[in-house]
Amino acid sequence: MTHDPFAPSEYPLEPQPATALMLTGGGARAAYQVGVLEAFADLRKTCGALNDANPFPIIAGTSAGAVNASALACGCDDFDATVRRIAKVWRNFHVKDVYHSDSVSMLRTGTSWVALLSMGWLVAKWRRLKPKSLLDNSPLAELLKNLVPLERLSGLIQQGHLQALAVTASSYSSGEHITFFQGNEQLTPWVRSQRCGRRDDITHQHLLASSAIPFIFPAMALQIDGQTAYFGDGSMRQSAPVAPAIHLGAQRICVIGAGDGRMHEPTTKDALSGLDSYPTLAQIAGHALSNIFLDALAVDVERIRRINQTLTLVPAALRDASNLRPVELLLITPSQRLDGIAARHIDELPSAVRALLGGIGVSSQTADIKGSALASYLLFEQGYTQELMALGYADAMRQRTEVCRFFNWQDPSAAPAMAEATAQAFTERRRDPLRLR
């Protein structure tokens, strides 16, 4: 029998709806998430909702989203200050903070891959070339020590500031998709087809594993049941990216994505140009990464909404007598094409990185959106990250009414009638959580 990963009966009914934050992957694209979080912090202050120190008792993330999620969780007792601290890092980002970008490093890592492509696997094997990745991300390990103080996590959970932090990675060794979570004692592991949840103390190694973009960054070793297993980016084979938050008890989930606002890469005039030409390696790589990072979320959101719609057809008496429950979603995704933004910033990359990417078809000369898709994941430069943060902030503010309704914040800029309608909607939602929105 095929098992629906979002069957509501899988999850016990909580006395009070728990709110979760889910941050998806996307390398440098994760700067967008930070802009959205800044907007949340500003809206909380504007709406006078600062009494609740942490609006997200459950925080989950994958890939670069796992880094942002963990940084936020480790400072969840002061949400606003933590968001500002994370934003300061992203606002001043440089490639060298994430991976080695000097000429020597590019020669050491990049040329090994070029040799494999140019000489063939047989000659490469004869020369004993065994490159682990295109780029060396060891600087990221140093950044995590300052950005993500994981030693605070246990205390924050014990004090009740946080219910759970979840980080997802994909095992090259077993093929399983594993969500590692650290949280209160009431939470239990779960097992589903090709994916599971394991209780563990989250470490920086988990974050490096979750954000190890395939081929780009090296796989990371983690200990599983006393054995060493190698893991890569958690977005790989992630068929149900929102599921970990639901397994951890969330009934209301804010999802911040890194793809297009319509949940797929849009077709534009620029994207349609050159369809008769053979795709470059950069186009193929960018397409593959978009499949890894973006497509699963769209399917997952559609599935949750479909289940919510189906539950409205179930009589209230039957719902009350069962464990069925809906999942309320607040979805915020970019309103602009991020690879198009990346095309404007490719020249900000260090010369050695530009040379490496240029060799496979990434160029800013023609602002080639198709070729710049790969760069959109690797462009850890402040011009690009700042523009993504500004876009995230603007997109969240554009959904201001929806955001305030989701958190039950009273927006003073709204008309009195709107404030009354928001309060009434909140009351009705508590009375009937299956009410469509």
Side-chain angles (χ1 to χ4, degrees):
M1 180 186 300
T2 301
H3 180 77
D4 189 330
F6 284 98
S9 59
E10 287 187 12
Y11 312 104
L13 186 64
E14 295 287 339
Q16 294 295 329
T19 302
L21 174 66
M22 175 65 208
L23 301 180
T24 65
R29 289 174 173 235
Y32 176 86
Q33 302 168 352
V34 182
V36 175
L37 292 175
E38 283 191 295
F40 287 173
D42 284 351
L43 283 175
R44 288 176 78 242
K45 183 176 181 180
T46 300
C47 298
L50 299 180
N51 290 334
D52 297 328
N54 177 24
F56 301 109
I58 299 170
I59 303 177
T62 302
S63 191
V67 175
N68 283 337
S70 299
L72 185 63
C74 291
C76 64
D77 52 337
D78 193 342
F79 179 84
D80 299 304
T82 301
V83 168
R84 307 305 179 196
R85 183 169 61 86
I86 298 171
K88 183 178 180 180
V89 172
W90 279 93
R91 193 165 280 116
N92 295 281
F93 242 138
H94 292 288
V95 161
K96 63 181 178 62
D97 298 322
V98 179
Y99 55 88
H100 288 302
S101 56
D102 58 280
S103 299
V104 174
S105 296
M106 289 295 99
L107 287 172
R108 185 172 59 248
T109 57
T111 53
S112 295
W113 283 99
V114 172
L116 290 176
L117 293 173
S118 62
M119 296 186 302
W121 288 97
L122 182 61
V123 178
K125 182 178 180 180
W126 175 72
R127 292 192 56 182
R128 297 183 180 179
L129 291 175
K130 296 181 179 179
K132 292 182 177 180
S133 61
L134 181 65
L135 300 171
D136 177 2
N137 66 339
S138 55
L140 178 59
E142 292 300 317
L143 175 66
L144 292 177
K145 293 179 181 179
N146 296 320
L147 180 62
V148 189
L150 288 169
E151 65 275 5
R152 302 193 72 233
L153 199 58
S154 178
L156 292 170
I157 294 172
Q158 292 178 1
Q159 296 162 18
H161 294 291
L162 184 70
Q163 182 172 323
L165 168 66
V167 172
T168 299
S170 184
S171 173
Y172 289 121
S173 302
S174 68
E176 284 187 307
H177 188 261
I178 301 179
T179 296
F180 301 94
F181 69 90
Q182 185 172 345
N184 60 42
E185 297 179 355
Q186 287 72 37
L187 301 175
T188 58
W190 62 90
V191 177
R192 299 293 181 269
S193 176
Q194 296 300 311
R195 61 183 177 90
C196 64
R198 297 177 61 97
R199 180 182 290 276
D200 204 348
D201 290 334
I202 304 298
T203 67
H204 291 149
Q205 195 77 353
H206 287 91
L207 304 185
L208 290 171
S210 180
S211 58
I213 302 174
F215 300 109
I216 306 296
F217 297 142
M220 290 290 133
L222 295 174
Q223 293 298 311
I224 302 295
D225 297 329
Q227 296 183 338
T228 300
Y230 285 88
F231 286 80
D233 199 292
S235 297
M236 294 187 292
R237 307 188 70 177
Q238 189 175 37
S239 60
V242 187
I246 301 177
H247 281 290
L248 293 171
Q251 292 179 248
R252 306 169 65 245
I253 306 174
C254 173
V255 181
I256 307 178
D260 175 66
R262 288 167 291 180
M263 298 303 296
H264 61 81
E265 291 296 303
T267 300
T268 65
K269 182 178 179 180
D270 289 335
L272 290 174
S273 64
L275 287 178
D276 56 344
S277 61
Y278 193 84
T280 64
L281 287 177
Q283 287 177 242
I284 295 172
H287 184 74
L289 290 180
S290 293
N291 174 266
I292 291 172
F293 287 114
L294 309 180
D295 293 350
L297 179 61
V299 175
D300 215 1
V301 168
E302 289 177 0
R303 179 163 44 201
I304 293 174
R305 288 172 172 168
R306 186 170 62 250
I307 291 175
N308 285 347
Q309 178 67 37
T310 301
L311 288 178
T312 64
L313 305 178
V314 179
L318 294 179
R319 293 200 310 263
D320 293 341
S322 71
N323 288 328
L324 298 176
R325 60 181 175 83
V327 175
E328 181 181 356
L329 288 179
L330 171 64
L331 177 65
I332 301 180
T333 56
S335 59
Q336 298 181 30
R337 194 179 175 97
L338 300 193
D339 45 7
I341 296 176
R344 300 196 294 268
H345 294 277
I346 289 176
D347 286 340
E348 298 171 17
L349 286 166
S351 58
V353 179
R354 290 202 312 272
L356 178 64
L357 295 180
I360 58 175
V362 177
S363 172
S364 64
Q365 296 302 315
T366 57
D368 183 4
I369 290 180
K370 298 183 294 297
S372 62
L374 174 60
S376 72
Y377 297 96
L378 304 177
L379 233 166
F380 293 93
E381 288 292 334
Q382 58 185 9
Y384 177 62
T385 58
Q386 288 178 15
E387 186 166 352
L388 294 195
M389 291 171 68
L391 177 63
Y393 190 94
D395 286 347
M397 286 301 185
R398 194 173 293 113
Q399 293 180 231
R400 178 171 181 153
T401 301
E402 186 180 354
V403 170
C404 290
R405 183 182 298 118
F406 180 83
F407 291 107
N408 192 34
W409 294 342
Q410 301 301 316
D411 188 352
S413 67
M418 179 63 71
E420 182 179 350
T422 300
Q424 181 179 358
F426 178 78
T427 300
E428 292 177 355
R429 185 175 68 198
R430 292 303 189 198
R431 185 181 305 120
D432 182 5
L434 291 176
R435 178 177 177 270
L436 289 179
R437 299 167 182 82

